[in-house]
Amino acid sequence: MIKEKILRDPVLNEIHVYDQVILDLIGTPEFQRLRRIKQLGVTSEVFHGAEHSRFAHSLGVYEIARRIEMHLSLFYPSQTAGDGLWDKDERLVLLAAALLHDLGHGAYSHTFEHIFNTDHEYYTQKIILSPDTQIHAVLEQVAPDFPEKVAQVIAKTYPNPQVVQLISSQIDADRMDYLLRDAYFTGASYGHFDLARIIQMIHPYEGGIAFDDKGMYAIEDYVVSRYQMYVQVYFHPVSRAMEVLLQHLLERVMYLYQQNKENGLQNNLVSPLLQPLFRGEVNLQEYLMVDDAVLLANISEWRLNEDSVLADLAHRFLDRVPLKSMTISEHTRGLLPEMRALVEAVGYDPNYYTAENDSFDLPYDDFDPEAFKQRTQIELRQQNGDLVELSQRSTLVEALMGREFGDARLFFPREMLQEHPVEDVMAPIYADFQRYIENGQLIEPKPTDSVK
């Protein structure tokens, strides 16, 4: 234990550190790397204040977990083994897992994972378990098996479901921090909820974490806040357009890299720090060398590349020239080949200048053992001790439960929307393309429509 360290935070006001091991973990190179990875990736291209980092978010998750643990230790300490109350001996593994849960994220996170076939949870566990990291060395000072315990929490295999659910469930320290933090930095007013009230209502039981029934309205507010943040921020079409640009940019680099390799040419297309990822032979230390700054430095060089597609995609990404988009439905999905053909007719390679992107999520759902992505349902504790699933008590949550929200979109170059282009031989193709769009949606054009 240490006397106390207080870190000022714009979202949670203060972050309190009482344990030397937590302070030492914060000071490791592996954790400091998170300063150089944005929490929301390209979202700052839409919400310019969203420049906050995975570092700040991880500290926030730690602080929320610390406040929850303090509440549980004060009001629900275990008296006898198996009584379903909070075991104070779990405190440090909870706090360490909360702090380190995002340790393995790569540059621009999810786009990075898709291109290089990596998984941040896998790398988080690898960083924790590898004897070559300072993170591991710090954790091992607690106990020889402590790194394994923390990794099990990340992997959701830790034997205490209370600890796992506080880090990963439909209402956990991770989600509560990123909703509040992302709302603050994007300037959104709809991501706020009563954090203090929710913490006050947490009640442990043998199977995990429940909430006192009288806290139902605060939890409703949280569920609605999550829904609104996904609709208004996380699924914003321009943010998705920038992600598509980044994805196609990296796909083009990967294609050119493979071409050079097959032709026996020197591969100086990417910097030495990125070479292992493009070779597909990256070790842990090489993985940890890559952050947003490394990727941006490479993109800046690609803007001057002799390959016109790569150079143009880099320009569009760096100078914020996003693709445009239209919503598509199952009824109009069959028109996509025609739309791509029109884009190609203008001179754009549809493999890099068009994309179908589906973004859907559930604001809340109950537990389904057959589901591909299982969700731990939110339980309300009645006065007699019985547990009731949230949607059985809340008509608001019942209305949202199981209902997907989001949309499917076709992304394309903004040049396709030119109106009355002067002396442009492609004008008839632009006009033909625009016949398929009405109110931002892909439609079947009427037979009587004619190209202007």
Side-chain angles (χ1 to χ4, degrees):
M1 299 289 287
I2 57 178
K3 184 177 179 181
E4 183 183 35
K5 292 288 184 182
I6 298 178
L7 309 177
R8 292 292 184 184
D9 186 78
V11 178
L12 300 175
N13 191 28
E14 291 181 346
I15 294 172
H16 296 259
V17 179
Y18 297 100
D19 304 273
Q20 187 64 49
V21 63
I22 297 297
L23 197 61
D24 291 345
L25 288 170
I26 293 171
T28 61
E30 296 89 4
F31 192 78
Q32 290 293 317
R33 168 181 169 271
L34 298 180
R35 291 182 184 272
R36 304 187 296 276
I37 297 178
K38 288 182 183 178
Q39 170 71 10
L40 290 182
V42 299
T43 302
S44 59
E45 300 292 336
V46 181
F47 302 92
H48 63 267
E51 298 280 350
H52 55 303
S53 65
R54 294 271 173 191
F55 179 90
H57 165 61
S58 296
L59 289 175
V61 177
Y62 154 80
E63 174 60 18
I64 291 177
R66 187 196 66 79
R67 294 179 188 181
I68 294 173
E69 196 284 330
M70 187 170 64
H71 164 78
L72 295 176
S73 291
L74 184 61
F75 295 103
Y76 304 106
S78 178
Q79 303 298 319
T80 59
D83 62 8
L85 298 178
W86 176 250
D87 183 353
K88 292 184 179 181
D89 291 340
E90 300 283 24
R91 174 181 177 276
L92 207 52
V93 71
L94 171 67
L95 299 187
L99 182 72
L100 304 179
H101 77 287
D102 268 354
L103 204 56
H105 269 287
Y108 289 96
S109 298
H110 302 296
T111 304
F112 182 92
E113 291 186 13
H114 176 78
I115 296 298
F116 297 112
N117 195 29
T118 60
D119 176 69
H120 71 274
E121 290 189 357
Y122 165 79
Y123 275 101
T124 296
Q125 295 168 54
K126 196 168 183 179
I127 294 166
I128 291 169
L129 295 174
S130 171
D132 298 325
T133 67
Q134 288 191 30
I135 286 284
H136 181 85
V138 172
L139 293 172
E140 206 171 30
Q141 291 174 8
V142 178
D145 64 343
F146 193 64
E148 177 64 32
K149 288 182 177 180
V150 175
Q152 286 177 348
V153 177
I154 305 298
K156 306 177 187 65
T157 59
Y158 192 67
N160 187 335
Q162 296 172 354
V163 176
V164 174
Q165 287 183 28
L166 288 174
I167 303 299
S168 181
S169 63
Q170 290 201 79
I171 180 167
D172 55 35
D174 179 24
R175 294 189 186 200
M176 287 192 280
D177 181 80
Y178 77 61
L179 288 175
L180 292 173
R181 194 166 300 276
D182 295 348
Y184 177 88
F185 283 102
T186 57
S189 61
Y190 27 70
H192 300 284
F193 56 89
D194 193 341
L195 173 65
R197 179 65 171 169
I198 288 178
I199 292 176
Q200 288 173 351
M201 296 297 105
I202 293 178
H203 194 297
Y205 72 101
E206 188 175 1
I209 295 295
F211 299 82
D212 282 342
D213 185 68
K214 59 186 177 182
M216 183 184 72
Y217 298 112
I219 296 172
E220 281 183 340
D221 194 25
Y222 161 85
V223 173
V224 172
S225 293
R226 184 175 183 273
Y227 163 76
Q228 291 173 325
M229 283 295 289
Y230 269 84
V231 170
Q232 301 293 335
V233 176
Y234 303 136
F235 289 169
H236 195 288
V238 178
S239 179
R240 288 158 61 187
M242 296 301 294
E243 287 181 1
V244 166
L245 273 178
L246 179 58
Q247 178 180 330
H248 286 185
L249 169 64
L250 292 174
E251 287 173 350
R252 184 63 177 180
V253 178
M254 185 70 77
Y255 167 77
L256 295 173
Y257 184 90
Q258 294 299 328
Q259 289 290 103
N260 289 344
K261 184 178 179 180
E262 292 172 6
N263 295 326
L265 301 176
Q266 183 178 1
N267 245 324
N268 57 1
L269 189 61
V270 298
S271 71
L273 293 178
L274 283 184
Q275 287 276 351
L277 283 163
F278 279 84
R279 289 198 305 265
E281 301 171 352
V282 61
N283 62 38
L284 181 58
Q285 294 305 318
E286 290 168 335
Y287 180 86
L288 288 170
M289 293 297 291
V290 180
D291 53 34
D292 287 3
V294 169
L295 196 54
L296 275 175
N298 279 265
I299 296 174
S300 295
E301 292 190 10
W302 295 332
R303 177 156 51 178
L304 304 176
N305 195 272
E306 61 184 14
D307 180 81
S308 60
V309 173
L310 176 58
D312 182 58
L313 291 173
H315 147 67
R316 289 172 185 261
F317 182 77
L318 291 171
D319 298 331
R320 197 190 181 280
V321 186
L323 300 174
K324 287 291 189 179
S325 67
M326 67 182 86
T327 58
I328 58 178
S329 65
E330 289 304 315
H331 175 70
T332 58
R333 197 177 294 272
L335 298 173
L336 295 185
E338 297 176 42
M339 306 304 288
R340 292 192 177 99
L342 290 170
V343 170
E344 187 173 21
V346 173
Y348 294 105
D349 186 337
N351 292 315
Y352 298 105
Y353 288 90
T354 67
E356 181 185 346
N357 179 277
D358 298 358
S359 290
F360 293 95
D361 197 16
L362 294 169
Y364 176 74
D365 204 5
D366 58 354
F367 175 74
D368 179 2
E370 303 298 324
F372 173 74
K373 186 177 181 181
Q374 293 183 3
R375 298 166 181 260
T376 304
Q377 64 191 26
I378 299 175
E379 304 276 12
L380 296 179
R381 187 177 186 274
Q382 310 299 292
Q383 288 185 2
N384 64 359
D386 290 345
L387 298 178
V388 178
E389 187 271 320
L390 175 62
S391 67
Q392 295 181 26
R393 289 276 291 117
S394 168
T395 55
L396 175 60
V397 173
E398 182 185 20
L400 291 173
M401 189 180 72
R403 296 182 180 230
E404 274 194 327
F405 62 89
D407 58 34
R409 287 179 173 270
L410 173 68
F411 289 85
F412 56 88
R414 61 171 54 197
E415 288 83 354
M416 300 303 297
L417 297 182
Q418 291 185 63
E419 295 183 5
H420 314 298
V422 179
E423 298 181 358
D424 191 331
V425 296
M426 301 298 178
I429 303 177
Y430 298 147
D432 196 15
F433 184 89
Q434 292 165 31
R435 290 191 310 124
Y436 289 82
I437 307 173
E438 184 176 275
N439 297 324
Q441 300 177 2
L442 177 61
I443 63 166
E444 181 82 50
K446 298 177 182 178
T448 55
D449 287 349
S450 59
V451 177
K452 298 178 182 178

